Structures are given as structure tokens and as C-alpha cells.
Amino acid sequence: MTDEFYVKRCLELAALAIGNVNPNPMVGCVIVVDGKIIGEGYHQKFGEAHAEPNAVKSVFDRHGIEAEHLLKQATAYVNLEPCAHFGKTPPCADLFIKHQIKKVVIGNGDPFAGVNGKGIEKLKNAGIEVISGILDNECRYFNRRFFTRVEKQRPFIILKWAETANGYFATINGHQKWISGGLAKRLAHQWRTEEDAILIGKHTAIMDNPQLTSRDWPGKNPLRLVIDKNLNIPQSNHIFNKEAKTIVFNEVKTDVIDNIHYIQMEDMKFYLAQKIAFQLYLMDIQSVIIEGGANIIKQFLDANLWDEARIFTSQNSWIEGVPSPVINGFVTEHFQIDNDKLSIYLNDINK
């Protein structure tokens, strides 16, 4: 088996924790001796053990008294550089040094200031052979949310909407009218479990009265974010129920009432997208889905503050409606979701 094979296995393991480790990266670890996997693990939940100690523990669980001897002959594979600092858990580089791991193969270096080469340096100084940059692009894309937050000081921003076959986004009178089908809705709810937060504007909240939960897919609900400059959304709206925490960006007050957090901002008509993105960064929100309305999405597009767009296109056409946002980017994938087409765009700045 090649180094690439084992790093891909790290990614498979790490993906099991999507949505559960933010703002940490998703990391998997595989420990190999003579071409045989003797232990593996992944970072399962924020604040809990990282991938490396979970993998080492699995070696002891599987091999008992032979574990120490095996680890001294082993190659450890991780998709991201082992940490070198004390955080919520001890440094993973120190764990490998303690058990005298023979060799460590790494996908990406960690851009976080507390690591950023220090883990690799620690390992090398301890006499451990280190190889890095295996499947570098693939590993970086896999942890794109983490890299975006660390390097750009903002969350990874996903735009999501549905449009008709002839390019309409919503009804002119503002009344709710479904565009995409049930399977697309279920997929959208799966996405909500994978990201930290979901954002809408006041008009979408009032007209659609959405719940913004993941009720059609097992998993956590995202943090609900709504922009309501003058606090016009009725308290009977679904976003104020107890099913998830809601943050209301406004110009009136800062307050906390049960699970509803009001955050006051100044001059929301100027640079709103930039202000929201920076506020979310300060709140340790690593990724956000922006679901509308058209004006909110347009502001993020105009500011070029987006990374990925997920657009459902229905087979149905309307006589009239609000035109869909115009997006400049490159399409990476097309999928057929029942009767709807799903197109995935990436921003050119991330190409």
C-alpha cells in the first residue's frame, strides 16, 4: 500500500466527524506496521481526544502488551500536522515522541499559529522521520472550512438557493412557493448538520417563517442567524422557538433572552457582508450557509465573500418572479437530485 492510500484512509475516518469538531479541523490517524494497520482513530468531538491519541489507544486495545513494541516499528499517518501546543488536550506530537513512533507521514501542515510547522519540527528533533505534503491539495480541500477561518479570519461561506428552469428565485408578491422537491429539501437538511450556522434576512424570516433546523436528517441543528435591523420579525416566528439557538443581528439592542441572542451592529446598510463575516469569525463560527433572501445573497456576492454555492434548478418555469442572483465562479460538479439539478460552484479566488 502507498502513502496516498493510508492518507486517504485518514480522510475517510476524519469525515465521520463532520460538523462535530468545529472550529477544530477534521483529522484521522492510521498506524501501520509492515503494511498492516494496527490501529486507527479520528477526532470525534470538539474538546475531546484528537485523532492521534485515539489511534494509539486502539493499538493498545487491539494488541495489549505487544503495543509498545509495535509502536516503535510503526509509521503513523495523519492528514494534518500533529499539534505541538497544549490546548484542550496535550500535544499530539509529544505522544508520538513518547511512544517512539518510527515515522510520521502527513497530508497538510497546520496553518494555526500554535502549530504551523512546530509539530513537524518537534518530531524531527526527536529523531522521527517525517514526510509531509502527501495528497496536499486533497487534504486542504477536505479541511477547507478550517483553512479559510485560520487564513482569512472569516468563516467558510456557502451560498444556497433554488431557482426555476427560467431563472426565478422567489415570487414577486413574496408569498412562499416551493421550487425544488422533497429530496432536495432532505439533502439541504443534511448540509445543515454539517455546518455551524445558517443565515437568512428579515424578509425571508417573515414571508417563509422557516424553522432552519435539521429535522429531516439525523444530527445537530445549526446556529440560526437572522438579520433584522429594526427587530420587525414577530416573536411568534419559528426562529424564536426553543429548537436551536438564534442570533439576531440588529441596530437596536444587545441582549440575551433564553436561547435568543441579540447583537447590535452599527450602520448595517454599509459593508454588511463584511461586518457579518468578521463577527462570525470572532464567535468561532467556522462555516455558514446563507439561504436568502436574494438581497442578502447579492450582498455577499457583490463583496466577493463566498467560497461555495449550491444551486438547485427545478424543471418547472414561472411566468414571473424575482430573478435569481448572478454568480461568477466555476462549476465543479452537477448532480441530478430527483427532478432537480444541483450545481456546485466554487469562487474563482479559491481555484
Side-chain angles (χ1 to χ4, degrees):
M1 300 297 181
T2 64
D3 288 345
E4 288 79 5
F5 173 87
Y6 293 117
V7 171
K8 283 184 178 180
R9 176 58 183 163
C10 292
L11 296 180
E12 290 174 355
L13 292 166
L16 296 173
I18 188 168
N20 293 323
V21 299
N22 299 352
N24 285 353
M26 296 178 287
V27 182
C29 178
V30 176
I31 301 177
V32 178
V33 173
D34 295 331
K36 180 182 178 182
I37 294 176
I38 63 168
E40 58 185 21
Y42 63 99
H43 183 29
Q44 298 179 21
K45 188 176 181 181
F46 176 72
E48 297 184 358
H50 287 184
E52 295 91 336
N54 283 336
V56 169
K57 180 179 181 299
S58 78
V59 175
F60 280 91
D61 290 343
R62 294 182 188 184
H63 300 280
I65 60 174
E66 293 294 320
E68 284 289 0
H69 174 68
L70 289 170
L71 287 170
K72 291 177 182 178
Q73 306 173 55
T75 298
Y77 292 85
V78 284
N79 58 289
L80 192 73
E81 177 182 1
C83 61
H85 65 295
F86 282 90
K88 291 183 178 295
T89 60
C92 294
D94 289 359
L95 180 69
F96 283 164
I97 294 169
K98 172 187 173 182
H99 291 290
Q100 300 176 46
I101 298 286
K102 184 178 180 180
K103 179 179 178 181
V104 178
V105 178
I106 299 167
N108 286 130
D110 188 331
F112 180 66
V115 188
N116 199 12
K118 297 182 180 70
I120 292 174
E121 183 181 7
K122 261 193 174 186
L123 294 171
K124 288 182 175 179
N125 288 342
I128 296 173
E129 181 184 356
V130 179
I131 296 175
S132 60
I134 303 299
L135 297 180
D136 186 79
N137 290 336
E138 187 173 338
C139 290
R140 183 182 177 88
Y141 181 75
F142 177 79
N143 268 316
R144 57 197 180 278
R145 299 164 180 84
F146 173 73
F147 276 87
T148 297
R149 182 182 178 278
V150 173
E151 295 177 347
K152 299 183 179 180
Q153 289 78 56
R154 65 166 176 82
F156 187 83
I157 298 171
I158 301 167
L159 308 179
K160 178 258 174 183
W161 72 82
E163 60 186 33
T164 64
N166 56 339
Y168 289 127
F169 175 89
T171 60
I172 288 180
N173 58 18
H175 292 163
Q176 186 181 42
K177 186 176 180 181
W178 283 102
I179 296 176
S180 54
L183 193 59
K185 178 184 176 184
R186 185 168 170 81
L187 178 57
H189 283 213
Q190 178 188 344
W191 293 339
R192 291 177 182 180
T193 69
E194 298 172 351
E195 312 304 337
D196 286 350
I198 184 168
L199 172 70
I200 60 170
K202 175 187 72 175
H203 294 296
T204 299
I206 292 174
M207 296 301 177
D208 294 351
N209 193 14
Q211 298 182 56
L212 302 184
T213 61
S214 309
R215 59 198 177 277
D216 287 343
W217 191 266
K220 68 173 181 63
N221 289 323
L223 177 65
R224 300 179 295 197
L225 311 172
V226 62
I227 299 169
D228 186 11
K229 179 180 175 182
N230 298 312
L231 300 182
N232 297 130
I233 301 172
Q235 288 297 304
S236 59
N237 193 280
H238 286 144
I239 64 166
F240 295 118
N241 64 29
K242 303 288 187 181
E243 294 184 23
K245 180 178 174 181
T246 296
I247 292 177
V248 183
F249 296 111
N250 69 93
E251 287 189 355
V252 179
K253 66 178 181 179
T254 294
D255 198 3
V256 178
I257 303 173
D258 295 327
N259 63 316
I260 313 302
H261 293 230
Y262 296 89
I263 296 180
Q264 186 176 14
M265 305 180 82
E266 295 183 355
D267 298 325
M268 293 179 72
K269 64 181 178 180
F270 298 111
Y271 304 107
L272 180 61
Q274 291 90 335
K275 290 176 180 177
I276 294 290
F278 186 62
Q279 181 64 46
L280 296 183
Y281 168 73
L282 295 177
M283 295 164 61
D284 271 349
I285 292 174
Q286 188 161 262
S287 62
V288 59
I289 301 174
I290 300 177
E291 285 207 358
N295 177 54
I296 298 299
I297 290 176
K298 184 177 185 301
Q299 289 194 56
F300 278 86
L301 285 169
D302 288 348
N304 204 27
L305 271 176
W306 67 280
D307 298 286
E308 186 175 308
R310 303 170 182 179
I311 304 171
F312 290 105
T313 303
S314 168
Q315 293 181 347
N316 301 320
S317 295
W318 291 355
I319 295 175
E320 60 180 4
V322 176
S324 299
V326 177
I327 188 166
N328 293 313
F330 63 99
V331 180
T332 59
E333 293 178 291
H334 286 299
F335 302 95
Q336 193 65 37
I337 311 296
D338 201 6
N339 293 324
D340 303 309
K341 183 179 75 172
L342 170 62
S343 301
I344 307 295
Y345 288 77
L346 293 182
N347 195 333
D348 284 323
I349 63 172
N350 298 318
K351 190 172 182 179

